[in-house]
Protein backbone atom coordinates (compact mmCIF):
# COMPACT_ATOMS: atom_id res chain seq x y z
CA UNK A 1 0.00 0.00 0.00
CA UNK A 2 1.06 3.59 -0.48
CA UNK A 3 2.94 2.50 -3.52
CA UNK A 4 2.83 5.83 -5.11
CA UNK A 5 1.37 5.79 -8.49
CA UNK A 6 -0.86 2.91 -9.36
CA UNK A 7 -1.99 4.95 -12.32
CA UNK A 8 1.18 4.06 -14.08
CA UNK A 9 2.73 1.00 -15.57
CA UNK A 10 6.39 0.30 -15.84
CA UNK A 11 8.46 0.60 -18.94
CA UNK A 12 12.12 -0.02 -19.17
CA UNK A 13 14.29 2.86 -20.25
CA UNK A 14 18.02 3.11 -19.85
CA UNK A 15 19.04 4.94 -16.71
CA UNK A 16 21.41 7.13 -18.67
CA UNK A 17 18.60 8.67 -20.72
CA UNK A 18 16.62 9.38 -17.57
CA UNK A 19 19.55 11.08 -15.92
CA UNK A 20 19.30 13.76 -18.55
CA UNK A 21 15.72 14.73 -17.80
CA UNK A 22 15.32 17.75 -15.64
CA UNK A 23 13.19 16.36 -12.83
CA UNK A 24 15.01 13.17 -12.06
CA UNK A 25 17.64 13.87 -9.49
CA UNK A 26 19.74 10.75 -9.46
CA UNK A 27 21.21 9.66 -6.21
CA UNK A 28 24.64 9.79 -7.78
CA UNK A 29 24.30 13.57 -7.64
CA UNK A 30 24.44 13.26 -3.87
CA UNK A 31 27.51 14.88 -2.43
CA UNK A 32 27.57 12.03 0.07
CA UNK A 33 28.56 8.42 -0.65
CA UNK A 34 26.10 5.59 0.02
CA UNK A 35 28.40 4.29 2.76
CA UNK A 36 28.52 7.69 4.48
CA UNK A 37 24.74 7.90 4.21
CA UNK A 38 24.37 4.48 5.86
CA UNK A 39 26.63 5.69 8.69
CA UNK A 40 24.18 8.56 9.26
CA UNK A 41 21.23 6.16 9.28
CA UNK A 42 23.13 3.96 11.69
CA UNK A 43 23.55 6.90 14.08
CA UNK A 44 19.86 7.88 13.79
CA UNK A 45 18.69 4.29 14.30
CA UNK A 46 20.98 3.88 17.28
CA UNK A 47 19.57 7.04 18.89
CA UNK A 48 16.11 5.51 18.43
CA UNK A 49 17.22 2.43 20.32
CA UNK A 50 18.16 0.00 17.55
CA UNK A 51 21.02 -2.24 18.69
CA UNK A 52 24.46 -2.27 17.08
CA UNK A 53 24.15 -6.01 16.43
CA UNK A 54 20.96 -5.50 14.39
CA UNK A 55 22.51 -2.67 12.39
CA UNK A 56 25.68 -4.65 11.72
CA UNK A 57 23.68 -7.59 10.45
CA UNK A 58 21.26 -5.52 8.33
CA UNK A 59 23.95 -3.33 6.76
CA UNK A 60 26.78 -5.80 6.20
CA UNK A 61 27.85 -5.66 2.54
CA UNK A 62 24.77 -3.55 1.71
CA UNK A 63 25.03 -1.81 -1.65
CA UNK A 64 22.79 0.60 -3.52
CA UNK A 65 20.26 -1.22 -5.70
CA UNK A 66 20.19 0.51 -9.12
CA UNK A 67 17.09 -1.50 -10.11
CA UNK A 68 15.09 0.27 -7.40
CA UNK A 69 16.01 3.69 -8.81
CA UNK A 70 15.15 2.48 -12.29
CA UNK A 71 11.67 1.27 -11.24
CA UNK A 72 11.08 4.48 -9.33
CA UNK A 73 11.95 6.62 -12.34
CA UNK A 74 10.00 4.58 -14.83
CA UNK A 75 6.73 4.22 -12.95
CA UNK A 76 5.36 7.42 -14.42
CA UNK A 77 6.08 6.64 -18.06
CA UNK A 78 2.42 6.13 -19.00
CA UNK A 79 -0.74 7.16 -17.25
CA UNK A 80 -3.58 4.82 -18.10
CA UNK A 81 -7.01 6.35 -18.51
CA UNK A 82 -9.97 5.05 -16.49
CA UNK A 83 -11.17 2.38 -18.92
CA UNK A 84 -7.73 1.00 -19.63
CA UNK A 85 -6.87 0.97 -15.96
CA UNK A 86 -10.11 -0.61 -14.77
CA UNK A 87 -10.06 -3.23 -17.55
CA UNK A 88 -6.54 -4.32 -16.70
CA UNK A 89 -6.88 -4.20 -12.90
CA UNK A 90 -10.40 -5.58 -12.53
CA UNK A 91 -9.83 -8.41 -15.00
CA UNK A 92 -11.99 -11.53 -15.27
CA UNK A 93 -9.09 -13.54 -13.96
CA UNK A 94 -8.80 -11.41 -10.83
CA UNK A 95 -12.57 -11.50 -10.36
CA UNK A 96 -12.92 -15.28 -10.70
CA UNK A 97 -9.96 -15.91 -8.43
CA UNK A 98 -11.42 -13.47 -5.91
CA UNK A 99 -14.72 -15.38 -5.84
CA UNK A 100 -12.81 -18.55 -5.01
CA UNK A 101 -10.85 -16.74 -2.27
CA UNK A 102 -14.11 -15.42 -0.79
CA UNK A 103 -15.48 -18.95 -0.53
CA UNK A 104 -12.27 -20.53 0.74
CA UNK A 105 -11.91 -17.98 3.53
CA UNK A 106 -15.56 -17.35 4.33
CA UNK A 107 -15.47 -18.15 8.06
CA UNK A 108 -12.36 -16.09 8.78
CA UNK A 109 -13.58 -13.19 6.61
CA UNK A 110 -16.90 -13.15 8.48
CA UNK A 111 -15.10 -13.10 11.84
CA UNK A 112 -12.96 -10.19 10.67
CA UNK A 113 -16.06 -8.38 9.38
CA UNK A 114 -17.75 -8.74 12.78
CA UNK A 115 -14.72 -7.23 14.46
CA UNK A 116 -13.76 -4.36 12.14
CA UNK A 117 -16.75 -3.76 9.84
CA UNK A 118 -14.82 -4.25 6.60
CA UNK A 119 -16.93 -6.47 4.29
CA UNK A 120 -15.29 -9.64 2.89
CA UNK A 121 -15.72 -8.43 -0.70
CA UNK A 122 -13.85 -5.18 0.07
CA UNK A 123 -11.01 -6.91 1.88
CA UNK A 124 -10.61 -9.48 -0.88
CA UNK A 125 -10.60 -6.68 -3.47
CA UNK A 126 -7.63 -5.01 -1.73
CA UNK A 127 -5.87 -8.36 -1.50
CA UNK A 128 -6.43 -9.04 -5.21
CA UNK A 129 -5.31 -5.61 -6.35
CA UNK A 130 -2.23 -5.44 -4.12
CA UNK A 131 -0.62 -8.81 -4.83
CA UNK A 132 -3.08 -10.90 -6.88
CA UNK A 133 -4.06 -12.74 -3.68
CA UNK A 134 -0.53 -13.23 -2.44
CA UNK A 135 1.14 -14.23 -5.72
CA UNK A 136 3.27 -11.10 -6.07
CA UNK A 137 4.47 -10.09 -2.63
CA UNK A 138 7.92 -8.95 -3.80
CA UNK A 139 11.22 -10.78 -3.55
CA UNK A 140 13.67 -7.95 -3.05
CA UNK A 141 15.71 -7.34 0.08
CA UNK A 142 13.63 -4.74 1.87
CA UNK A 143 16.46 -3.09 3.82
CA UNK A 144 18.29 -2.64 0.53
CA UNK A 145 15.22 -1.25 -1.29
CA UNK A 146 14.47 1.24 1.47
CA UNK A 147 18.12 2.22 1.99
CA UNK A 148 18.35 2.96 -1.74
CA UNK A 149 15.14 5.02 -1.78
CA UNK A 150 16.27 6.87 1.36
CA UNK A 151 19.67 7.64 -0.15
CA UNK A 152 17.99 8.94 -3.29
CA UNK A 153 16.88 12.55 -3.02
CA UNK A 154 13.40 12.28 -4.53
CA UNK A 155 11.48 11.37 -1.34
CA UNK A 156 14.28 11.06 1.19
CA UNK A 157 12.37 12.08 4.34
CA UNK A 158 9.50 9.64 3.73
CA UNK A 159 11.70 6.64 2.93
CA UNK A 160 14.16 7.37 5.73
CA UNK A 161 11.27 7.20 8.20
CA UNK A 162 10.22 3.87 6.68
CA UNK A 163 13.78 2.51 6.77
CA UNK A 164 14.10 3.44 10.45
CA UNK A 165 10.70 1.83 11.17
CA UNK A 166 11.89 -1.35 9.43
CA UNK A 167 15.17 -1.45 11.38
CA UNK A 168 13.21 -1.12 14.63
CA UNK A 169 10.89 -3.99 13.68
CA UNK A 170 13.93 -6.15 12.90
CA UNK A 171 15.58 -5.14 16.16
CA UNK A 172 12.45 -6.05 18.11
CA UNK A 173 12.49 -9.48 16.49
CA UNK A 174 9.17 -8.85 14.71
CA UNK A 175 10.69 -9.27 11.24
CA UNK A 176 13.83 -11.15 10.09
CA UNK A 177 16.86 -9.07 9.03
CA UNK A 178 16.71 -10.46 5.47
CA UNK A 179 13.01 -9.61 5.05
CA UNK A 180 11.81 -9.43 1.43
CA UNK A 181 9.29 -7.12 -0.22
CA UNK A 182 8.71 -4.84 -3.18
CA UNK A 183 11.16 -2.39 -4.71
CA UNK A 184 9.04 0.39 -3.16
CA UNK A 185 9.45 -0.88 0.39
CA UNK A 186 6.10 -2.66 0.90
CA UNK A 187 5.66 -6.20 2.20
CA UNK A 188 3.26 -9.07 2.56
CA UNK A 189 -0.07 -10.03 0.99
CA UNK A 190 -1.52 -6.53 1.25
CA UNK A 191 1.75 -4.63 0.88
CA UNK A 192 2.21 -2.91 4.22
CA UNK A 193 4.90 -0.28 4.59
CA UNK A 194 7.08 -0.80 7.72
CA UNK A 195 5.46 2.06 9.67
CA UNK A 196 2.05 0.47 9.03
CA UNK A 197 3.33 -2.91 10.19
CA UNK A 198 4.48 -1.19 13.38
CA UNK A 199 1.20 0.64 13.92
CA UNK A 200 -1.48 -1.74 12.67
CA UNK A 201 -0.25 -5.30 12.13
CA UNK A 202 -1.79 -7.88 14.44
CA UNK A 203 -0.61 -11.34 15.40
CA UNK A 204 -4.18 -12.58 15.17
CA UNK A 205 -3.40 -16.31 15.32
CA UNK A 206 -1.29 -15.76 18.45
CA UNK A 207 1.72 -17.71 17.30
CA UNK A 208 4.09 -14.94 18.40
CA UNK A 209 4.84 -13.84 14.82
CA UNK A 210 3.55 -11.06 12.57
CA UNK A 211 3.14 -13.14 9.45
CA UNK A 212 1.73 -11.07 6.62
CA UNK A 213 2.88 -13.72 4.15
CA UNK A 214 1.55 -17.07 5.35
CA UNK A 215 -1.08 -16.42 8.02
CA UNK A 216 -4.50 -15.51 6.66
CA UNK A 217 -5.58 -14.50 10.16
CA UNK A 218 -2.67 -12.08 10.52
CA UNK A 219 -3.20 -10.73 6.98
CA UNK A 220 -6.96 -10.19 7.22
CA UNK A 221 -7.00 -8.83 10.76
CA UNK A 222 -4.08 -6.47 10.11
CA UNK A 223 -5.52 -5.12 6.86
CA UNK A 224 -9.01 -4.60 8.29
CA UNK A 225 -7.58 -3.05 11.43
CA UNK A 226 -5.64 -0.61 9.27
CA UNK A 227 -8.70 0.20 7.15
CA UNK A 228 -10.79 0.82 10.23
CA UNK A 229 -8.15 3.13 11.68
CA UNK A 230 -7.95 5.18 8.46
CA UNK A 231 -11.67 5.73 8.48
CA UNK A 232 -13.58 2.74 7.08
CA UNK A 233 -17.08 2.73 8.57
CA UNK A 234 -19.21 -0.35 9.05
CA UNK A 235 -22.38 -0.57 7.01
CA UNK A 236 -21.54 2.23 4.58
CA UNK A 237 -20.94 1.87 0.86
CA UNK A 238 -17.78 3.26 -0.78
CA UNK A 239 -19.92 4.77 -3.52
CA UNK A 240 -21.77 3.73 -6.67
CA UNK A 241 -22.10 4.55 -10.33
CA UNK A 242 -24.68 7.16 -11.32
CA UNK A 243 -25.85 8.87 -14.51
CA UNK A 244 -25.81 12.62 -15.10
CA UNK A 245 -28.05 14.59 -17.48
CA UNK A 246 -26.58 15.79 -20.82
CA UNK A 247 -26.68 19.44 -19.72
CA UNK A 248 -25.05 18.71 -16.35
CA UNK A 249 -22.55 21.36 -15.22
CA UNK A 250 -19.49 19.37 -14.08
CA UNK A 251 -17.96 22.29 -12.14
CA UNK A 252 -19.03 20.81 -8.80
CA UNK A 253 -17.81 17.31 -9.72
CA UNK A 254 -14.72 17.21 -7.56
CA UNK A 255 -13.76 15.22 -4.47
CA UNK A 256 -13.50 18.42 -2.47
CA UNK A 257 -17.17 19.32 -2.91
CA UNK A 258 -19.51 17.24 -0.75
CA UNK A 259 -23.26 17.62 -0.99
CA UNK A 260 -26.35 15.88 0.31
CA UNK A 261 -27.93 13.21 -1.89
CA UNK A 262 -30.96 15.50 -2.12
CA UNK A 263 -28.82 18.21 -3.75
CA UNK A 264 -27.38 15.76 -6.28
CA UNK A 265 -30.91 14.55 -7.02
CA UNK A 266 -31.95 18.18 -7.64
CA UNK A 267 -28.99 18.58 -10.01
CA UNK A 268 -30.40 15.74 -12.12
CA UNK A 269 -28.16 12.89 -10.93
CA UNK A 270 -29.90 9.49 -10.98
CA UNK A 271 -28.99 5.88 -10.31
CA UNK A 272 -27.84 3.69 -13.20
CA UNK A 273 -31.43 2.69 -13.98
CA UNK A 274 -32.42 6.35 -14.29
CA UNK A 275 -34.37 6.22 -11.02
CA UNK A 276 -34.25 8.56 -8.02
CA UNK A 277 -31.18 8.37 -5.80
CA UNK A 278 -31.55 6.51 -2.50
CA UNK A 279 -32.55 8.53 0.55
CA UNK A 280 -29.45 8.87 2.71
CA UNK A 281 -28.05 11.24 5.28
CA UNK A 282 -24.52 10.71 3.91
CA UNK A 283 -22.77 13.47 2.05
CA UNK A 284 -21.35 12.54 -1.32
CA UNK A 285 -18.92 13.84 -3.93
CA UNK A 286 -19.51 13.33 -7.61
CA UNK A 287 -16.46 12.22 -9.55
CA UNK A 288 -15.94 11.97 -13.30
CA UNK A 289 -12.71 10.00 -13.85
CA UNK A 290 -12.86 10.56 -17.65
CA UNK A 291 -14.50 13.94 -17.66
CA UNK A 292 -18.14 14.87 -18.26
CA UNK A 293 -18.54 12.44 -21.17
CA UNK A 294 -17.34 9.43 -19.18
CA UNK A 295 -18.64 7.37 -16.26
CA UNK A 296 -19.89 9.14 -13.11
CA UNK A 297 -19.75 8.03 -9.49
CA UNK A 298 -21.12 9.30 -6.21
CA UNK A 299 -18.60 8.51 -3.49
CA UNK A 300 -18.99 8.56 0.29
CA UNK A 301 -16.76 8.62 3.37
CA UNK A 302 -15.46 5.10 2.83
CA UNK A 303 -14.04 6.16 -0.54
CA UNK A 304 -11.78 8.54 1.36
CA UNK A 305 -10.64 5.66 3.57
CA UNK A 306 -9.57 3.79 0.41
CA UNK A 307 -7.72 6.91 -0.74
CA UNK A 308 -5.81 6.94 2.56
CA UNK A 309 -4.62 3.43 1.74
CA UNK A 310 -3.57 4.54 -1.75
CA UNK A 311 -4.06 8.08 -2.96
CA UNK A 312 -4.72 7.19 -6.59
CA UNK A 313 -8.32 7.86 -7.63
CA UNK A 314 -8.26 5.04 -10.17
CA UNK A 315 -6.92 2.59 -7.60
CA UNK A 316 -9.74 3.54 -5.21
CA UNK A 317 -12.35 3.13 -7.95
CA UNK A 318 -10.87 -0.28 -8.80
CA UNK A 319 -11.20 -1.44 -5.20
CA UNK A 320 -14.82 -0.27 -5.15
CA UNK A 321 -15.66 -1.77 -8.51
CA UNK A 322 -13.95 -5.12 -7.87
CA UNK A 323 -15.67 -5.42 -4.48
CA UNK A 324 -19.08 -4.78 -6.09
CA UNK A 325 -18.37 -7.38 -8.75
CA UNK A 326 -17.33 -9.89 -6.11
CA UNK A 327 -20.46 -9.15 -4.13
CA UNK A 328 -23.12 -9.29 -6.84
CA UNK A 329 -21.52 -9.21 -10.30
CA UNK A 330 -22.34 -5.53 -10.60
CA UNK A 331 -21.13 -4.12 -13.91
CA UNK A 332 -20.74 -0.53 -15.09
CA UNK A 333 -23.43 0.98 -17.32
CA UNK A 334 -21.28 3.74 -18.85
CA UNK A 335 -20.15 3.11 -22.41
CA UNK A 336 -16.40 2.58 -22.63
CA UNK A 337 -14.53 5.44 -24.26
CA UNK A 338 -11.62 4.49 -26.46
CA UNK A 339 -9.06 7.23 -26.45
CA UNK A 340 -5.29 7.02 -26.30
CA UNK A 341 -3.68 7.10 -22.88
CA UNK A 342 -1.34 10.01 -22.31
CA UNK A 343 2.35 9.34 -21.88
CA UNK A 344 4.62 11.27 -19.61
CA UNK A 345 5.75 13.67 -22.33
CA UNK A 346 2.10 14.44 -23.18
CA UNK A 347 1.39 15.37 -19.57
CA UNK A 348 4.56 17.45 -19.36
CA UNK A 349 3.44 19.26 -22.54
CA UNK A 350 0.02 19.94 -20.97
CA UNK A 351 1.61 21.18 -17.74
CA UNK A 352 4.12 23.41 -19.53
CA UNK A 353 1.45 24.86 -21.84
CA UNK A 354 -0.94 25.56 -18.95
CA UNK A 355 1.88 27.20 -16.99
CA UNK A 356 2.69 29.40 -20.01
CA UNK A 357 -0.98 30.37 -20.26
CA UNK A 358 -0.92 31.48 -16.62
CA UNK A 359 -2.58 28.42 -15.05
CA UNK A 360 -0.19 27.10 -12.44
CA UNK A 361 0.46 23.35 -12.52
CA UNK A 362 3.66 23.62 -10.49
CA UNK A 363 6.92 22.15 -11.79
CA UNK A 364 5.99 19.95 -14.79
CA UNK A 365 6.58 16.32 -13.76
CA UNK A 366 4.42 14.28 -16.13
CA UNK A 367 2.00 13.26 -13.39
CA UNK A 368 -1.47 14.76 -13.45
CA UNK A 369 -2.16 15.33 -9.76
CA UNK A 370 -4.58 17.69 -8.00
CA UNK A 371 -2.65 20.83 -9.03
CA UNK A 372 -2.73 19.93 -12.72
CA UNK A 373 -6.44 19.09 -12.51
CA UNK A 374 -7.12 22.42 -10.78
CA UNK A 375 -5.18 24.36 -13.44
CA UNK A 376 -7.11 22.43 -16.10
CA UNK A 377 -10.38 23.57 -14.53
CA UNK A 378 -9.22 27.19 -14.59
CA UNK A 379 -8.20 26.84 -18.23
CA UNK A 380 -11.52 25.23 -19.17
CA UNK A 381 -13.42 27.99 -17.41
CA UNK A 382 -11.42 30.70 -19.19
CA UNK A 383 -12.21 29.32 -22.66
CA UNK A 384 -15.82 28.35 -21.95
CA UNK A 385 -15.36 24.57 -21.99
CA UNK A 386 -17.18 22.27 -19.53
CA UNK A 387 -15.18 22.52 -16.30
CA UNK A 388 -14.44 18.88 -15.44
CA UNK A 389 -10.68 19.10 -14.79
CA UNK A 390 -10.06 15.99 -16.88
CA UNK A 391 -6.47 15.70 -18.02
CA UNK A 392 -7.03 13.52 -21.07
CA UNK A 393 -6.56 13.22 -24.80
CA UNK A 394 -9.04 15.98 -25.70
CA UNK A 395 -7.27 18.48 -23.48
CA UNK A 396 -3.98 17.57 -25.16
CA UNK A 397 -5.53 18.23 -28.58
CA UNK A 398 -7.06 21.52 -27.42
CA UNK A 399 -3.73 22.77 -26.11
CA UNK A 400 -1.91 21.71 -29.26
CA UNK A 401 -4.25 23.86 -31.35
CA UNK A 402 -3.44 27.49 -30.66
CA1 LIG B 1 0.84 -14.73 13.70
Amino acid sequence: MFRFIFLFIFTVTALSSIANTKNDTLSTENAQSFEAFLDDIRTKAHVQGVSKATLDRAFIGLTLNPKVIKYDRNQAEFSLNFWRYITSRVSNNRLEKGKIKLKENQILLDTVYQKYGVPPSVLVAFWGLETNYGRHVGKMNLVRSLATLSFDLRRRAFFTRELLALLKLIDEGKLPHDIEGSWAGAMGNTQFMPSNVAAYAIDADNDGKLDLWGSKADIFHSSSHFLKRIGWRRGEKWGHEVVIPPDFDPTSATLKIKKSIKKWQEAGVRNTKGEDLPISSLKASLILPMGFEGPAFLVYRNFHAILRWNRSLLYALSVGHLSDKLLNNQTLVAEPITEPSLNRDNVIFIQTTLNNLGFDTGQPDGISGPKTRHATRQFQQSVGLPVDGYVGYQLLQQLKTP
Side-chain angles (χ1 to χ4, degrees):
M1 71 189 68
F2 297 126
R3 278 189 256 135
F4 303 102
I5 303 148
F6 277 88
L7 283 165
F8 305 109
I9 56 168
F10 304 143
T11 57
V12 179
T13 315
L15 258 182
S16 58
S17 71
I18 290 171
N20 296 327
T21 64
K22 200 175 165 190
N23 299 308
D24 297 327
T25 310
L26 271 180
S27 47
T28 47
E29 291 169 18
N30 278 341
Q32 212 180 11
S33 71
F34 187 60
E35 291 68 29
F37 176 74
L38 289 184
D39 283 343
D40 282 357
I41 294 288
R42 190 184 276 272
T43 307
K44 278 186 190 143
H46 201 59
V47 168
Q48 293 187 16
V50 179
S51 72
K52 188 177 172 297
T54 293
L55 292 167
D56 285 347
R57 206 151 66 138
F59 284 177
I60 190 163
L62 196 72
T63 52
L64 188 100
N65 190 345
K67 260 194 206 167
V68 168
I69 300 290
K70 195 156 93 175
Y71 290 144
D72 186 64
R73 295 299 185 270
N74 288 336
Q75 65 177 335
E77 199 62 27
F78 282 98
S79 50
L80 297 181
N81 65 41
F82 172 84
W83 283 112
R84 285 172 185 241
Y85 186 94
I86 213 99
T87 313
S88 71
R89 302 301 304 238
V90 187
S91 62
N92 276 339
N93 184 278
R94 193 167 269 134
L95 174 65
E96 293 311 317
K97 248 177 155 174
K99 286 179 183 167
I100 294 167
K101 297 292 174 190
L102 268 178
K103 267 199 198 130
E104 278 176 1
N105 301 284
Q106 193 181 353
I107 295 168
L108 179 59
L109 288 165
D110 283 345
T111 309
V112 169
Y113 173 62
Q114 293 308 322
K115 186 157 186 189
Y116 304 100
V118 179
S121 55
V122 172
L123 190 54
V124 168
F126 273 104
W127 187 22
L129 288 166
E130 287 295 340
T131 61
N132 204 5
Y133 313 103
R135 275 196 67 182
H136 305 295
V137 292
K139 284 201 149 298
M140 295 175 90
N141 179 299
L142 213 55
V143 172
R144 193 176 178 212
S145 289
L146 281 168
T148 300
L149 290 164
S150 305
F151 177 64
D152 183 35
L153 299 172
R154 197 176 69 81
R155 293 198 67 197
R156 173 169 283 193
F158 171 80
F159 285 115
T160 300
R161 277 198 303 275
E162 293 299 336
L163 175 59
L164 290 168
L166 178 63
L167 291 168
K168 265 193 233 176
L169 287 164
I170 293 170
D171 194 50
E172 290 161 2
K174 290 178 179 166
L175 295 173
H177 74 280
D178 55 354
I179 184 83
E180 290 179 344
S182 75
W183 67 265
M187 69 188 98
N189 272 242
T190 49
Q191 296 287 280
F192 268 43
M193 291 300 284
S195 61
N196 294 326
V197 173
Y200 307 110
I202 292 171
D203 173 21
D205 59 10
N206 282 309
D207 67 348
K209 286 184 281 187
L210 289 177
D211 184 0
L212 301 175
W213 291 262
S215 163
K216 297 272 172 61
D218 288 11
I219 296 161
F220 295 164
H221 277 264
S222 300
S223 307
S224 298
H225 178 225
F226 180 50
L227 272 167
K228 189 183 173 184
R229 292 282 292 275
I230 56 177
W232 184 273
R233 292 170 196 248
R234 182 187 297 273
E236 293 183 11
K237 279 185 75 70
W238 64 273
H240 50 86
E241 193 186 6
V242 290
V243 291
I244 54 174
D247 59 346
F248 184 79
D249 174 9
T251 310
S252 61
T254 161
L255 264 185
K256 277 188 194 152
I257 297 179
K258 292 170 187 158
K259 293 186 188 183
S260 67
I261 301 296
K262 195 166 159 261
K263 286 265 187 245
W264 291 120
Q265 170 81 22
E266 283 165 13
V269 179
R270 297 291 180 269
N271 77 11
T272 49
K273 289 180 185 152
E275 301 158 343
D276 288 353
L277 294 173
I279 295 167
S280 166
S281 59
L282 289 179
K283 293 250 171 143
S285 302
L286 186 81
I287 54 171
L288 304 168
M290 279 189 89
F292 73 104
E293 291 175 317
F297 299 89
L298 278 182
V299 296
Y300 303 94
R301 293 189 289 201
N302 279 346
F303 191 73
H304 292 269
I306 305 175
L307 285 171
R308 280 178 213 113
W309 177 297
N310 181 306
R311 62 188 176 191
S312 154
L313 207 65
L314 296 188
Y315 176 86
L317 285 168
S318 296
V319 170
H321 182 48
L322 178 55
S323 70
D324 286 349
K325 281 196 140 182
L326 286 167
L327 193 66
N328 53 18
N329 283 313
Q330 201 171 315
T331 52
L332 298 173
V333 300
E335 287 288 321
I337 297 174
T338 45
E339 64 173 37
S341 286
L342 301 186
N343 65 26
R344 195 178 185 192
D345 288 342
N346 295 148
V347 179
I348 288 176
F349 172 82
I350 287 171
Q351 290 170 325
T352 310
T353 311
L354 287 174
N355 281 347
N356 291 341
L357 291 169
F359 307 105
D360 183 20
T361 65
Q363 175 72 39
D365 60 0
I367 298 166
S368 52
K371 217 168 174 183
T372 305
R373 290 200 293 268
H374 182 69
T376 300
R377 285 174 167 269
Q378 290 176 318
F379 163 74
Q380 289 168 330
Q381 192 149 35
S382 75
V383 293
L385 287 166
V387 183
D388 59 14
Y390 177 47
V391 183
Y393 187 71
Q394 277 195 21
L395 177 70
L396 180 67
Q397 296 310 312
Q398 280 150 2
L399 291 175
K400 273 185 177 169
T401 323

